Amino acid sequence: MVSAVVNTIRNVVGIIGNIISLFLFLSPVPTFVEIVKKGTVEQYSAAPYLATLLNCMVWVLYGLPMVHPHSILVITINGSGTAIEVVYIILFVLYSDKKKRIKVMLVVLVEVIFVALVALLVLTLLHSTKQRSMAVGIICILFNIMMYASPLSVMKLVITTKSVEYMPFFLSLMSLANGVAWTIYAFLPFDQFIAIPNGLGTLLGVAQVILYACYYKSTKRQMAARQGKGQVDLSAVVVSESDSGDSKKIGTAVADGG
């Protein structure tokens, strides 16, 4: 009776985790809408999307019946996440300069080769689901932590520039909610491979939200200052000609802030 109740709660929390994770995967949509409108990725980093792609592919492998049975909820959300991240990376490549484009494509190639190699080795060399779960689970822990920690480079930029302009708040908030949901799921019953990375992810999510709160006002001031500068009207310079007494306008311009 108790195990049935726990299993029901686990499924409910897992479904909630799937929904939150889907929102997490979709949270960069406004960022990419802005990128498409501007025609450039500017200072946005591809690291979060590359890390998430690798994380999702490894978790899909972990959730396969021949690796870790009864993990359909792990497969559904991470399969969806893989597809969504592929779309983001394609857009990032399209709107990047040549140097960034080549770098991102090489990283994706290495990730795909890595996951394929892990799958081949695990399915051929290990002959029980317990062994396969252990091997893939350890890899999942490492890459799940990478996914949560990938915004650290952006957090460093935030601290340096005192601006959260390039650290979307919704993405940080969803990362926190995602970590909390899957940490709860991991304790019903206990699964250390899900609990460890998502517990750390929760802490990193808290750190991002705190950082956003600290630099939100300074970001608004910086953006207002840029906007004000862009509206500065450079007055026409008038030079009087001493001989004729006539005036000649020699320049009128409006600063565009670019």
Side-chain angles (χ1 to χ4, degrees), residues 59-123:
W59 277 106
V60 168
L61 177 60
Y62 179 82
L64 293 176
M66 66 283 293
V67 177
H68 193 77
H70 313 299
S71 300
I72 186 64
L73 291 174
V74 174
I75 294 177
T76 53
I77 189 57
N78 286 288
S80 300
T82 298
I84 292 170
E85 296 305 318
V86 167
V87 173
Y88 291 154
I89 291 171
I90 289 173
L91 289 173
F92 199 95
V93 167
L94 290 175
Y95 292 98
S96 297
D97 56 45
K98 185 177 179 180
K99 185 178 179 180
K100 280 186 178 179
R101 186 178 300 124
I102 293 174
K103 184 178 179 180
V104 170
M105 292 174 67
L106 285 175
V107 172
V108 171
L109 179 61
V110 170
E111 290 183 353
V112 171
I113 293 174
F114 173 79
V115 174
L117 186 60
V118 169
L120 179 63
L121 293 174
V122 167
L123 295 177

Side-chain angles (χ1 to χ4, degrees), residues 3 16 36 44 58 65 72 74 84 89 94 96 106 117 128 132 137 149 187 191 206 208 214 233 235-236 242 257:
S3 60
I16 294 173
V36 172
Y44 286 109
V58 174
I72 186 64
V74 174
I84 292 170
I89 291 171
L94 290 175
S96 297
L106 285 175
L117 186 60
S128 70
R132 292 170 178 173
F187 282 86
D191 185 332
V206 170
Q208 290 177 50
C214 290
D233 186 10
S235 302
S242 56

